[in-house]
Amino acid sequence: MPDYRIDIDGEQFLVKVEGNSVTSVNGKPTSATLAVEPGTHRFALSLDHTTYRFSAVKDGDRYALTGEGITFDLGVKGEHEHVLQKLGRLVETGSALEMRAPMPALVRSVAVHEGEEVAPGQTVVILEAMKMENDVHAARAGKVMKVAVHPGMTVEKDQLLITLE
Amino acid sequence: MSKRIGTLLIANRGEIALRVIRTCRELGIRSVAVFSDADRFAPHVRAADASVHIGPAQSSLSYLHAEAILAAARTSGADAIHPGYGFLSENHEFAEAVGKAGLVFVGPPPSAMITMGDKTRAREAMMRAGVPVVPGSNGPLHSADEALAFVKEHGLPVLIKAAAGGVGKGMRLVSTIEELPAAFETAASEAKASFGDARVYLERYLDSPRHIEIQILADQHGSVVHLGERECSIQRRHQKIIEESPSPILEPRDREEMARTAVRAAQSCGYVNAGTIEFLRDRKGKFYFLEMNTRLQVEHPITELRTGLDLVALQIRVAEGARLPFKQDEIRWSGHAIECRICAEDVANGYVPSTGRLLHLRPSSGPGIREDRGVEEGSEIPVYYDSMIAKLCAWAPDRATAIRRMARALREYEVLGVRTNIPLLQYVVGHPNFQKGEFSTHFLQDHFSPSALAKGSRDFREAAAMACALLEHATVTNAHSAGRNGGTQWHSWKSRRFEGLH
């Protein structure tokens, strides 16, 4: 279940999200959903029986949000970011690079074959977890020595995906 | 001498340019906009019938560049120029050049601009006309000794003002006799550096004054009327941020006296067209001439809301040689109007101008709301010009209702992408002293600090955090399933349209 760390002027909120709903805020069980007015910046948060109306835009890596005359500048860090940072997690054995799954996942697709030369940052495998697709990128250039997975199979955490020479 | 204007060039930008263009459209006058590099896509440029590029973004090379503007008038076939406010609007040399080019200048004669543009000369002219002026040195002072002599006669505190200075510029407050000589010398050298003119004069600084100004209008046939007063006491560093009409403090008899004095002041300098006489009113109710602005003011909309008149249209008709279409006793006022200047500034951080793109702009509307704005969603607020986003006005039958209406309108107004002073405006409008009409030009100094700005309730902040998390989650989900589209396009992953939203 993804966590999001929200910062409003130094005040931190830890928000857990499952699917389309919030399930807790700073540990307190909460239930909230969001409706967006399509094609606009306007949306409404439904929390218990209260509706909060806002407009918001994403401004670089921050959000600017306004409602009822109050405007906030928010910083957001999602757990998926930590996951993404970990993808392409490297285990160097000798000079070979073993790329392993950072969490249990379903292999959506394999983008390379054995013997292929890859460039740094090139997508090698796409995994699906928590309803999110995550690209696994080659951390450096190299030749694909071993493809250990195929589309449709599930992998455990740390299971080997690809070995680069 | 009546000459209909066929094509009017507006030597300005932003909201005032758009304002004048709108009246041109209503009068069937062809409008010409001018624009700098920074304003290529500005709303005022699109609104005009024709537009001419006049130079790079810097004002000195574009909106202040008289030759470029006159050339634009020639190319576009304009027969008149409206200078707006700021820029060249009070520059008598520009007005003269316009006349020499055979064009009509929509404003006063250069002679009136000369008299009223120089603060010392204006004071002298007013004293000759029997208009009370703030006790001050009659003419520039040439030495610290002269300054000391003035203070001995008229008391402290005093303001040392540059004769060539303007709003809030070239002014220095002196409260003790000890600091006077040094302050005098510094002020003179600063004036020389900033305006090329070292002349300074002294003025008594009034204790907690109120800034009340009278709108006047005069035609080329000797008729001069007043259109009522505006109180502009809510200021920050001499910049007005909230104006209202009528003034909550003036009694009818004071109002009449002030208005009559203003008319006399305008007549004394042979004024023609729209202008404003600014007064300071002290605690005892005495008022003194401060200065005359020989142009249309930023806050003219509140006068228009109360009188139902179009001041720009009247300016144009006067410039064409028409007589004023009403006598003083035919003018009617109705209700109460307040204007808030919404500016792109970071109030919590020393009012630093907040530049950037208006990523989201949703103005207020509904009963009794008027909004004058020259930017739109997607516009850039550039560094080169002022930080004003919009003038938001509320009209209602009485002051209390107008205040409630303005508070509502400020809550409704949404801007994202730059910081605004909306929280400050809300603070003032909600303040008991403002609501009671008990304030002076010191209001913000006395009652406001950035820590007073509303931060929203705990519930609201939590809700904002939740909303943000859900938005981010949706963005990430969409980005990946849509195969890396980037996170800034939000598809309606929940495509149900929200009922009852606004």
Side-chain angles (χ1 to χ4, degrees):
Chain A
M1 190 179 319
D3 284 357
Y4 291 91
R5 237 165 281 274
I6 315 284
D7 175 285
I8 305 179
D9 286 335
E11 196 180 346
Q12 302 282 330
F13 297 86
L14 185 66
V15 182
K16 284 196 191 295
V17 172
E18 188 172 331
N20 302 337
S21 316
V22 168
T23 55
S24 76
V25 178
N26 288 345
K28 183 181 68 181
T30 309
S31 179
T33 56
L34 195 68
V36 185
E37 194 170 341
T40 72
H41 299 133
R42 293 197 293 277
F43 56 97
L45 183 88
S46 217
L47 173 65
D48 300 328
H49 300 290
T50 309
T51 305
Y52 293 89
R53 290 179 178 76
F54 304 96
S55 290
V57 291
K58 191 160 183 174
D59 194 0
D61 61 357
R62 300 187 71 79
Y63 281 83
L65 186 151
T66 185
E68 289 302 318
I70 315 252
T71 299
F72 294 124
D73 173 47
L74 303 105
V76 184
K77 260 205 171 59
E79 193 200 77
H80 69 281
E81 269 187 33
H82 302 153
V83 167
L84 287 173
Q85 277 158 20
K86 282 188 255 168
L87 284 176
R89 199 157 57 154
L90 319 169
V91 178
E92 300 258 7
T93 51
S95 60
L97 178 63
E98 289 180 350
M99 301 180 64
R100 296 179 175 278
M103 72 280 192
L106 174 72
V107 178
R108 267 258 170 227
S109 60
V110 177
V112 298
H113 55 264
E114 282 170 23
E116 186 178 329
E117 290 280 356
V118 297
Q122 183 174 341
T123 298
V124 296
V125 169
I126 299 183
L127 299 176
E128 186 192 298
M130 301 180 289
K131 298 204 172 118
M132 292 187 291
E133 280 189 358
N134 298 302
D135 298 356
V136 181
H137 302 125
R140 60 161 173 79
K143 187 150 97 179
V144 177
M145 251 177 46
K146 187 176 166 74
V147 176
V149 294
H150 59 263
M153 74 183 273
T154 51
V155 292
E156 299 297 314
K157 184 173 167 178
D158 283 337
Q159 187 163 337
L160 181 65
L161 303 170
I162 303 276
T163 308
L164 288 188
E165 202 179 51
Chain B
M1 184 214 82
S2 232
K3 188 208 158 177
R4 284 263 139 160
I5 293 171
T7 300
L8 179 64
L9 183 145
I10 297 92
N12 215 297
R13 61 178 298 280
E15 71 88 14
I16 190 62
L18 190 52
R19 164 79 192 84
V20 175
I21 290 166
R22 284 182 164 140
T23 287
C24 286
R25 286 178 154 178
E26 290 179 18
L27 298 180
I29 293 174
R30 185 168 162 264
S31 55
V32 180
V34 296
F35 63 95
S36 70
D37 289 346
D39 283 336
R40 238 171 243 286
F41 303 106
H44 80 273
V45 176
R46 293 200 311 275
D49 295 308
S51 62
V52 183
H53 176 253
I54 51 168
Q58 294 90 327
S59 305
S60 55
L61 301 173
S62 50
Y63 299 103
L64 287 172
H65 191 32
E67 289 75 32
I69 291 173
L70 290 166
R74 276 194 301 276
T75 14
S76 62
D79 43 22
I81 295 184
H82 192 300
Y85 54 69
F87 293 127
L88 295 168
S89 63
E90 291 180 288
N91 185 314
H92 70 266
E93 281 153 0
F94 177 65
E96 282 161 2
V98 170
K100 281 206 186 77
L103 307 170
V104 173
F105 181 78
V106 181
S111 55
M113 293 166 83
I114 290 169
T115 305
M116 294 303 195
D118 179 292
K119 306 295 169 263
T120 310
R121 218 177 285 134
R123 283 174 55 87
E124 284 165 6
M126 290 301 95
M127 289 189 326
R128 277 197 302 272
V131 172
V133 301
V134 177
S137 58
N138 302 329
L141 295 176
H142 303 100
S143 70
D145 283 337
E146 287 186 19
L148 282 164
F150 173 89
V151 165
K152 285 208 164 68
E153 191 185 332
H154 297 283
L156 286 166
V158 289
L159 271 178
I160 308 180
K161 285 183 163 183
V167 179
K169 294 195 184 101
M171 287 171 35
R172 190 179 220 89
L173 179 68
V174 176
S175 309
T176 66
I177 203 94
E178 294 78 35
E179 43 176 326
L180 183 61
F184 182 88
E185 301 301 340
T186 316
S189 57
E190 273 176 9
K192 179 91 188 141
S194 305
F195 312 111
D197 180 349
R199 287 180 308 145
V200 294
Y201 64 101
L202 253 61
E203 232 175 55
R204 255 314 299 273
Y205 183 71
L206 300 179
D207 177 32
S208 300
R210 298 179 77 125
H211 176 123
I212 301 177
E213 61 191 34
I214 304 279
Q215 176 72 54
I216 61 101
L217 185 60
D219 65 20
Q220 295 184 36
H221 306 270
S223 177
V224 182
V225 299
H226 75 86
L227 297 177
E229 85 275 13
R230 295 181 290 254
E231 168 138 24
C232 313
S233 297
I234 308 295
Q235 303 175 3
R236 189 192 79 85
R237 300 237 184 110
H238 305 280
Q239 301 290 326
K240 301 166 184 171
I241 59 169
I242 299 181
E243 306 99 351
E244 64 178 301
S245 179
S247 160
I249 195 78
L250 283 189
E251 300 287 323
R253 218 181 27 164
D254 296 334
R255 174 172 292 120
E256 273 162 36
E257 209 200 317
M258 217 183 235
R260 265 201 312 269
T261 307
V263 168
R264 197 161 72 241
Q267 285 168 328
S268 74
C269 68
Y271 202 78
V272 175
N273 214 288
T276 297
I277 316 276
E278 298 187 332
F279 296 99
L280 287 180
R281 180 189 178 279
D282 71 16
R283 280 207 176 133
K284 302 191 205 92
K286 283 196 64 154
F287 62 88
Y288 306 91
F289 172 86
L290 179 63
E291 62 183 33
M292 180 174 190
N293 293 322
T294 58
R295 54 171 168 81
L296 192 66
Q297 302 264 106
V298 173
E299 59 272 22
H300 74 273
I302 54 176
T303 296
E304 292 186 324
L305 285 170
R306 290 192 68 222
T307 58
L309 299 172
D310 179 338
L311 288 180
V312 173
L314 287 164
Q315 283 191 293
I316 290 171
R317 292 301 182 225
V318 163
E320 287 175 335
R323 289 176 182 275
L324 291 181
F326 41 69
K327 296 194 171 29
Q328 184 68 67
D329 58 14
E330 291 170 321
I331 297 166
R332 295 282 173 272
W333 291 270
S334 164
H336 199 98
I338 303 178
E339 175 184 274
C340 283
R341 299 193 193 186
I342 297 178
C343 299
E345 51 190 30
D346 192 346
V347 174
N349 282 319
Y351 300 89
V352 163
S354 180
T355 53
R357 185 174 297 279
L358 292 169
L359 297 173
H360 171 78
L361 188 143
R362 190 152 180 279
S364 348
S365 59
I369 299 300
R370 168 178 168 169
E371 194 223 3
D372 289 55
R373 171 172 43 90
V375 290
E376 56 200 357
E377 185 172 294
S379 296
E380 283 277 348
I381 304 285
V383 302
Y384 305 99
Y385 316 116
D386 64 63
S387 62
M388 190 158 70
I389 292 172
K391 291 159 12 186
L392 181 64
C393 298
W395 179 94
D398 58 80
R399 187 170 190 265
T401 310
I403 290 175
R404 274 200 304 277
R405 180 157 284 166
M406 177 56 80
R408 184 269 293 170
L410 287 170
R411 266 205 317 279
E412 237 177 55
Y413 208 99
E414 296 182 355
V415 179
L416 291 174
V418 298
R419 304 223 167 206
T420 73
N421 64 346
I422 290 174
L424 169 62
L425 295 166
Q426 288 174 305
Y427 176 83
V428 176
V429 163
H431 197 283
N433 283 53
F434 179 81
Q435 293 180 350
K436 282 186 279 191
E438 287 166 12
F439 52 83
S440 71
T441 55
H442 295 180
F443 179 85
L444 285 182
Q445 274 165 254
D446 294 341
H447 299 291
F448 177 74
S449 76
S451 56
L453 292 173
K455 287 188 167 39
S457 68
R458 168 109 200 139
D459 286 349
F460 195 80
R461 293 159 77 76
E462 243 179 42
M466 285 187 247
C468 205
L470 288 168
L471 280 168
E472 181 70 1
H473 189 67
T475 306
V476 167
T477 318
N478 278 333
H480 285 275
S481 59
R484 272 164 288 143
N485 261 356
T488 53
Q489 290 298 312
W490 294 334
H491 310 287
S492 57
W493 51 278
K494 212 171 167 100
S495 61
R496 154 178 85 93
R497 192 179 174 84
F498 189 76
E499 300 300 323
L501 187 69
H502 300 291

